[in-house]
Each structure stands twice: as C-alpha cells, then as structure tokens.
Amino acid sequence: MPAASIRPLHPVPRSLSQLCARFGLDAPDDIDHLEVTGVSISSKDVDAGDLYVGIPGARVHGASFADDARADGAVAVLTDAAGAALAADSGLPVLVTEDPRAALGEVSAWIYRTDPDVPKLFGVTGTNGKTTVAYILDGLLGQLGVLTGLTTTVERRIGDERIDASLTTPEANELHALIARMREVGVHAASIEVSAQAITRHRVDGLLFDVVGFTNLSHDHLDDYPDFASYFEAKLELFTPERARRGVVSLDSEWGAKLVENTRIPVTTITSKDGVEADWRVIVGGQRGASTTFTLVAPDGRSLDTSIPMPGWFSAANAGLAIVMLVESGYDLDQIGEALERDGGVDAFVPGRLELVSGERGPRLYVDYGHTPDAFEQTLGALREFTTGRLFMIFGADGDRDATKRPDMARIAAELADVVIITDYNPRTEDPEAIRRVLVDAARAARPEGEVLEIADARLGIRRAVELADDGDTILVAGPGHESYTEVAGEKIHYSARDEAREALREAGWQA
C-alpha cells in the first residue's frame, strides 16, 4: 500500500478558484464550482477530488498522465508551461506555475490545512542516526503517555496504523496528507526523519518544526551533491526560521560546530566526546550486547541515569539527543527521568538498526542498515568492545549510488573485522561483479594478511559466516537493515537479511 494512501478520512474541500487566488495563479474559465480535497503527483495514487500535480521527471513529464488522473477522479492539473501543453487535451482545468515541485509543499499545506493547528513536529537530520533518533523520540513520547505519529526510512505510522516507506522522507503531498490524518485522530507529536534530499527537493516545504535535531555529517550522497559543502548546506537549511523554531545540535562530528556558527534559529548543543564544550553532555557507561547505560547531564547540573536497548556509545548519544529535543520542546527533564526509571530505560525498538537476531547460545548476529564508512567504523568499534572471539562482517555496496565511498567502506571493514565477507547488495543497474571487485581489492590492499571472502549471494555469505563462527564471536550483516528486497537489473526481488540470518542460525543449530 503506497504511503499516499494514509490520508485524512474527512477532508474539508477547498475552492479551486480560491487556490488560484491564494497562490497568484491565472484561473481558467468556469472553475468557481470546483473543489479539491487532496493532492497527488502520481496518476496511480489519484483519489476523487484530487489536484493532480504534473512534475517533470528524468524520463517523462508527469503531466503526460493527466488523462489517467482525470479518469481516476482528479478535478484539475497544476503543472509548468511544458506540462500545460501536454495536459491541454485532458479536459481538466490546467493551472500553471513556474516550478510545480517547489509549489507542492505550500499547496499541499493549504489544501490539507496543515499550516495551522498541527501536532508538535520533531525533525531529525544528519548522515547516520536519523532513523534511530526518530524511533527513540517516538518511544520516549509513548513512555510519557503521548499519542504519536512517525515517519522514517522504515515506515509511516499513526498509532497502530502503519505502512512501509519507499523514501526516507515522503513527498510533500504525502507528508501533509499524513499529518492531516494524524491531526484527525488526535496525535499530539510526530517524529519525522529528514534527509538532505528531502530539503533540497522540497519534501518538507510547508511545515514548521517545533524542534529539529542534527546527529552528524560524514561521507554519503556525493552522487547527489557536488561536494561536501553542498551536502552540509542542504542540512543547514533545516535550521532556519522558515522551517523550525529551535534546534539541538550534536557536536560529536566537526560539522556540528559549523552548523551552530551558521544557524539562524536558537540552538542548544550536546556531546558525548571528551574535550568538547557543549551545553549538555552524555557520559557513556557500560555496554553489553543488547544495551548501553549512560548519564545525561543538563546545563544546570541536573543528571539523568538510564539505558538504551542498543549497543554502542553512539546509541547513548542518539538517546541523549532525543531527550534534549523533548526538553527543548517543553517536556520536563525530571518527568522524563521518572518515566525512564519506571520503565527500566528507554523503551524503543529500531527495526534493522543493530538489530540482534540471535539467541542466548552461539554467536551474536546483528543486522544493520549502516552503509557509510563512518557507520562501519563506529559500529565495528562498538561490537569489538564486547566481542571475546572473532568479529565477522558481511556487506556489499549499493549500485547506482555514491561510488566514491566504496573503497573506504572496504578498508574500514578489513581493518576492524577479523573476517570480511563481500556480497552483492542492491546492485540495481550496475554490474554486481564490478562492484564486488572494487570492494575486494580495497579490502585486500588495506590488510593483505586479512581473511577476505567474496561470496556473491548474500544468503550464502551469511550462512558461511554462521558456519565459521562460534560462541563468543560476533557477526554483523551491514547494509540491508529492515529492507525486504534487493534490486537487481531494475527488478526488485524479495530478500530479508533478518529472515535469512535467523534461518542460517537455526540451520547451524543455534538459537534465533
């Protein structure tokens, strides 16, 4: 079911002529009687009463499908001049704007009435940790008795209603529809994972976040941005008065301080690093295979001792960031502390993020979504701390994505893991053998004496690791995380690393 299917059940119609007046659009003749109740940018998702927005694509213009949109109940088309020519014979009134994608957010906000009276919105951005912080926010709010909404790389969720996600951040029309539905059912606060692409591609336009959080910045998405400075500028845009009231910035990466220097909204800072000055401090305690304890120290000296059910110092840092975002939004630190003490720590589960799928006996096996050099380095470092035996890593690299990070991913894996198994992972339209060759060569160059295995089929790679591992060993399957498919030559094939890992453990006689 597509994300656009979560819509308000009782939309209040908007006059098409008033829409034209509101956004300065030339009104076609005879539209005074027409009303719109929703917005769609795909002809496959059109509902009766929709405004269909025709956006130019890489291969085809969305306005080419105006006839299909009309057949499914669209009442008008909003597009650019080129799209207007394509939609002219559809029989629908055509509204023309210079950049329909740039207009989509504000138009959707007006139609779905999400500009006033919406849930409290929390936005999280950064390279790594966005999904985790969003889930921790959602979990903490639940512990405080708040009805929540959530949208992440994994899913869109309103209470018990959920659908799988196709993009990290939904398109603007889907996001505003989702928030309108949240408002209908009484959601008080929503956590939204915000990618850099979501900001530059206008997916969060028309929203004003109560608090935004920044986790870190490291090598990723340089296929979408010409350089690191441009990637940073995309993240920085979220920390402007037009998009957020206040922010919380982690200083655990050097880019946090740069963001603080350039932000135009009030921000507070947090760090888990020694020697770094910040308003809030996370002191990481002990960690086991399934949890990490930490102390959060406030600017006024108050402290909160608790734990997060995930391994790694970065898990504690993510939890600290989420707690401070709640405090910045008006929640009381002592009230949060009481809820955490009552529940034995943070109550949050993050699908496919350092998710432990093994049982009490045998090797520990984690499935993780990490697919950047920094994520590899931090995760392997965290797992090494409690691994008494060998550390195995199974990974591949995305096809049709930033290829410049692949050698660093392989180098870090070879330097920090005892056994590296390189497999295929979403090759998409690229030659999978060529991707593996880059990874294998970089891994062997980084550690010539290391054990590096090339096993194309990820299922067999997982089974090989399980065969070689024993009690005290740790296996990390990095990349797939929560995903339930792999894409090969443009075809999506069912594949779940979590399911394969559990099956491999059982086949070997271990618990899962």
Side-chain angles (χ1 to χ4, degrees):
M1 184 165 51
S5 62
I6 292 191
R7 296 185 178 217
L9 298 180
H10 308 288
V12 180
R14 286 285 208 182
S15 163
L16 191 60
S17 59
Q18 288 180 7
L19 185 151
C20 292
R22 169 68 176 78
F23 293 99
L25 305 174
D26 291 336
D29 295 334
D30 194 28
I31 64 168
D32 290 342
H33 65 291
L34 294 178
E35 294 180 323
V36 295
T37 53
V39 186
S40 56
I41 63 171
S42 169
S43 59
K44 297 177 181 178
D45 296 331
V46 170
D47 277 0
D50 273 3
L51 172 69
Y52 177 65
V53 182
I55 296 174
R59 291 184 292 273
V60 65
H61 200 298
S64 302
F65 302 100
D67 286 340
D68 294 336
R70 181 186 182 183
D72 288 333
V75 297
V77 177
L78 173 66
T79 189
D80 56 15
L86 294 170
D89 295 332
S90 67
L92 292 174
V94 180
L95 317 180
V96 181
T97 186
E98 182 177 352
D99 186 345
R101 177 171 285 283
L104 182 62
E106 297 292 345
V107 168
S108 298
W110 187 81
I111 291 175
Y112 287 117
R113 303 171 191 260
T114 50
D115 36 359
D117 187 29
V118 297
K120 189 172 289 189
L121 300 179
F122 296 92
V124 189
T125 196
T127 302
N128 300 313
K130 300 187 297 297
T131 305
T132 299
V133 174
Y135 271 96
I136 294 172
L137 278 166
D138 186 72
L140 289 168
L141 287 163
Q143 290 178 268
L144 294 171
V146 176
L147 181 62
T148 63
L150 174 74
T151 171
T152 71
T153 302
V154 181
E155 63 181 337
R156 322 290 182 222
R157 194 172 72 207
I158 306 173
D160 294 331
E161 184 181 7
R162 70 169 299 278
I163 59 172
D164 291 335
S166 57
L167 295 170
T168 296
T169 311
E171 294 287 2
N173 61 302
E174 299 172 6
L175 186 53
H176 284 279
L178 184 68
I179 292 171
R181 174 68 181 141
M182 291 179 185
R183 181 181 57 201
E184 276 189 340
V185 301
V187 165
H188 181 70
S191 305
I192 300 174
E193 183 179 348
V194 183
S195 65
Q197 294 92 333
I199 301 167
T200 56
R201 296 173 188 172
H202 303 285
R203 294 178 194 157
V204 292
D205 284 9
L207 295 181
L208 181 64
F209 291 93
D210 194 57
V211 181
V212 289
F214 174 81
T215 58
N216 51 59
L217 205 69
S218 65
H219 187 170
D220 200 12
H221 298 305
L222 296 189
D223 51 337
D224 285 320
Y225 299 94
D227 50 43
F228 220 84
S230 301
Y231 181 38
F232 169 75
E233 289 293 329
K235 301 287 190 182
L236 177 63
E237 174 65 22
L238 191 61
F239 290 75
T240 59
E242 296 78 18
R243 296 191 184 275
R245 295 187 176 94
R246 59 185 74 77
V248 182
V249 179
S250 170
L251 302 183
D252 284 351
S253 72
E254 60 180 314
W255 292 92
K258 187 174 179 65
L259 191 150
V260 172
E261 292 173 5
N262 290 276
T263 183
R264 294 195 288 117
I265 61 173
V267 298
T268 189
T269 57
I270 184 171
T271 188
S272 65
K273 301 294 188 183
D274 293 334
V276 177
E277 293 296 324
D279 301 313
W280 293 76
R281 180 165 298 277
V282 174
I283 302 171
V284 182
Q287 67 164 321
R288 298 187 300 274
S291 66
T292 304
T293 61
F294 67 95
T295 299
L296 178 65
V297 182
D300 62 7
R302 288 182 296 165
S303 64
L304 182 156
D305 296 309
T306 190
S307 64
I308 177 79
M310 299 179 68
W313 67 266
F314 46 85
S315 298
N318 288 332
L321 177 65
I323 293 170
V324 176
M325 288 178 68
L326 292 182
V327 173
E328 282 296 298
S329 185
Y331 291 94
D332 182 69
L333 180 63
D334 293 333
Q335 181 187 10
I336 296 171
E338 290 171 4
L340 293 174
E341 184 176 2
R342 177 197 67 212
D343 298 338
V346 176
D347 184 9
F349 170 68
V350 190
R353 271 60 178 179
L354 265 185
E355 183 177 342
L356 181 65
V357 300
S358 53
E360 294 181 2
R361 290 181 53 254
R364 287 187 171 273
L365 198 160
Y366 295 87
V367 174
D368 189 58
Y369 189 63
H371 50 267
T372 68
D374 183 65
F376 280 17
E377 184 171 9
Q378 303 304 337
T379 303
L380 287 169
L383 297 179
R384 176 65 73 185
E385 287 191 26
F386 57 81
T387 298
T388 57
R390 292 194 297 174
L391 179 56
F392 293 74
M393 185 171 191
I394 305 163
F395 77 101
D398 272 303
D400 301 333
R401 298 294 185 269
D402 184 359
T404 64
K405 65 184 179 181
R406 292 172 187 171
D408 282 342
M409 291 164 59
R411 174 184 57 80
I412 290 168
E415 290 175 348
L416 299 183
D418 298 301
V419 180
V420 172
I421 300 177
I422 292 170
T423 72
D424 291 340
Y425 166 52
N426 272 350
R428 297 188 173 89
T429 64
E430 282 195 63
D431 176 8
E433 185 176 355
I435 297 174
R436 292 197 310 274
R437 180 51 45 202
V438 170
L439 298 175
V440 170
D441 288 349
R444 288 177 175 161
R447 191 165 165 229
E449 77 284 2
E451 189 171 354
V452 178
L453 307 178
E454 180 180 359
I455 302 174
D457 190 331
R459 297 173 177 85
L460 299 179
I462 292 172
R463 280 162 174 77
R464 182 61 175 153
V466 172
E467 289 171 3
L468 294 172
D470 208 335
D471 278 308
D473 294 342
T474 299
I475 302 170
L476 172 65
V477 182
H482 65 282
E483 291 178 339
S484 59
Y485 69 88
T486 183
E487 187 174 340
V488 182
E491 180 184 359
K492 289 186 176 181
I493 303 167
H494 175 73
Y495 169 73
S496 166
R498 295 185 291 179
D499 291 347
E500 292 295 334
R502 293 187 182 102
E503 186 61 28
L505 288 166
R506 294 188 186 104
E507 290 173 1
W510 300 116
Q511 295 177 327

